Amino acid sequence: SALGPWGVAQAWITPLVKLAAKRPLQAEDVYDSVPKGESAQERADVFRHAWEAEVGHRGMKQASVVRALRSSTALFFTASGISLFWFMVSQLATPFLIRELVAELSADSMDLHFSLLIATGLLISSSCSSYLITAFFGFGRRVGIAARTGLMAAIYEHAMQLSAEG
């Protein structure tokens, strides 16, 4: 757009304003930026099911909110851990590749193809390292958001039930 970010925002907001002038806006009218499975309601449902499973397995007195949270965010937590493991592997490979490249370049009879192979390995290792640390932090952020959202929704629902009863 010629107007840059303002033009993009205007292109998105103008249709919403026109629609709002005709009728009240609904949730589906607004651009959905929440990834599938991560809305507040979906995260609250996942936490509620994890909590019910925890209570069913251990009983109300032995049930643990921490275990229910861990269970409700297990997929993101596991993905974060796998990303961190492979990040560390790629980080550990880099010094070995550098050592081999320096040894190859300082040798009397250098093999150009082997040197290029090592340099390509360094490029791939660095690229993977960058991607994997980004994925680690992204999944970690999702764990935090999912835990916070699930807990907030559960507390709100419980408060609403208490106020309805009393």
Side-chain angles (χ1 to χ4, degrees):
S1 169
L3 298 175
W6 173 246
V8 173
Q10 187 177 9
W12 178 67
I13 291 174
T14 302
L16 282 176
V17 171
K18 288 180 181 177
L19 185 60
K22 293 178 185 175
R23 64 171 175 80
L25 291 177
Q26 302 296 317
E28 53 272 356
D29 294 333
V30 181
Y31 175 72
D32 186 19
S33 62
V34 178
K36 185 170 174 60
E38 294 186 42
S39 71
Q41 186 59 52
E42 290 166 319
R43 294 311 316 164
D45 291 343
V46 169
F47 177 74
R48 186 179 320 102
H49 290 2
W51 175 249
E52 289 168 359
E54 176 70 14
V55 169
H57 180 66
R58 300 189 189 280
M60 185 56 97
K61 289 190 180 242
Q62 296 296 320
S64 168
V65 172
V66 173
R67 279 192 294 263
L69 273 175
R70 187 176 57 210
S71 175
S72 69
T73 60
L75 179 65
F76 297 142
F77 190 79
T78 302
S80 179
I82 290 169
S83 298
L84 183 61
F85 172 78
W86 286 111
F87 164 75
M88 288 190 277
V89 168
S90 68
Q91 286 291 100
L92 289 172
T94 301
F96 293 111
L97 291 169
I98 291 173
R99 184 189 67 197
E100 288 300 316
L101 184 60
V102 168
E104 184 64 30
L105 292 175
S106 63
D108 292 337
S109 59
M110 181 180 76
D111 182 6
L112 180 61
H113 294 314
F114 186 63
S115 298
L116 288 174
L117 181 66
I118 295 172
T120 303
L122 271 169
L123 175 67
I124 291 170
S125 176
S126 296
S127 298
C128 287
S129 177
S130 177
Y131 170 76
L132 289 165
I133 195 65
T134 302
F136 165 72
F137 284 118
F139 285 124
R141 179 188 58 81
R142 291 170 87 176
V143 167
I145 290 171
R148 179 178 177 228
T149 304
L151 278 175
M152 285 174 40
I155 290 168
Y156 177 75
E157 287 176 6
H158 187 68
M160 293 303 290
Q161 288 174 353
L162 288 176
S163 63
E165 291 173 5

